[in-house]
Amino acid sequence: MKKPIAVGSALAIIALTVYVMAKGFGSNPHEVPFLLSGKPAPAFTIKRLDNDQPVSFSDFKGKPLVINFWATWCGPCQTEHPVLDWAAKKYEGQAVFLGIVFEDNEQNTKRFLAQNGWSFVQLFDPKSTVAVDYGVSGVPETYFIDRNGIINHKVAAPFVDPREFAAHMETILK
Amino acid sequence: MLIALSLVANLALAQEGYAPQRPVTDPLDATREARVQELGKHLRCAVCQGVSIADSPASMARAQLDKVRELVAQGKTDEEIYAYFVERYGEWALMEPKKSGVTLGLWVFPLLLLAVGLYVIWLQSKKGPTPAPPVSEEPKSEPSTDEYLAKVRADLEK
């Protein structure tokens, strides 16, 4: 009677260890979890960089929204800038594109946009409060928000392929 | 003049690839600020490697600490403040996993293993040393049917 219990306990411990190790080895240790997918996007009111006018999340009610958090000092953000420019033009009238610049200053941003294209509305988050509210964990990060104001998902990597961006857009244009 | 221009150029170069300094937020009064710092020690910086937002010099960590400051100023409880970060990053946001739910196992399992180990040691010590197996006696020889041997025995008994 004692032997089956001992064997059962040993097997349970081995199974638990294998499960924990498989789960640990199967995940990227540098990936920061993101739990806001499927939840309402946090509201905000911050100013536009081109005319200093306040812009609120509620201004875009009923429209699919793409929000790109970025900064000029971030190399990958510079790399993906042409893809975002292309996407903003391609999806004009179907979705709203917003850039939110954080951990940066206005002068750098305006200079960068003047040199590299300013095809969609850019907002300035001076104390990164909006970035914290959105659970940002790096730059660049792009949020895809549906017409009901629900975060469908975010992409925490730069876009280099327009086709890849188009596939993400499909999730919020439905 | 040349030195001043060189300094400006160097500063401009230094800004490439790094987040510029952000405006510093005013601390709260001493009691509430101490609470902000204490809460910050239990919350993980979102852009660092295993460092709390109170200990990290990263600009984003200071933004997160500002959020804690804002929530403390609004009169939120510790649980509500932790919940704000857990809602975004999951329990990863906490420097120590919560002592409840599934993660309770992380705290209880090692203690349970230790208790089982101590119990086994106690059981063994209670039994005392295992007695040595008894020395076996000489096996009794079966009565022989050997005729020669029977004759020898008979001769000896005479």
Side-chain angles (χ1 to χ4, degrees), chain B residues 30-43 52-55 65 68 72 78 81-82 95:
Chain B
T31 313
R32 287 192 299 172
E33 188 59 29
R35 191 173 152 227
V36 168
Q37 296 299 326
E38 185 57 33
L39 286 163
K41 283 180 184 166
H42 294 97
L43 289 164
S52 77
I53 59 174
D55 296 324
L65 201 61
V68 174
V72 165
D78 289 2
I81 293 168
Y82 290 139
M95 292 298 286

Side-chain angles (χ1 to χ4, degrees), chain A residues 86-105:
Chain A
W86 165 85
K89 287 169 190 158
K90 176 175 170 58
Y91 294 102
E92 196 174 2
Q94 297 177 68
V96 175
F97 279 65
L98 292 178
I100 296 186
V101 181
F102 72 116
E103 301 296 318
D104 210 330
N105 63 47

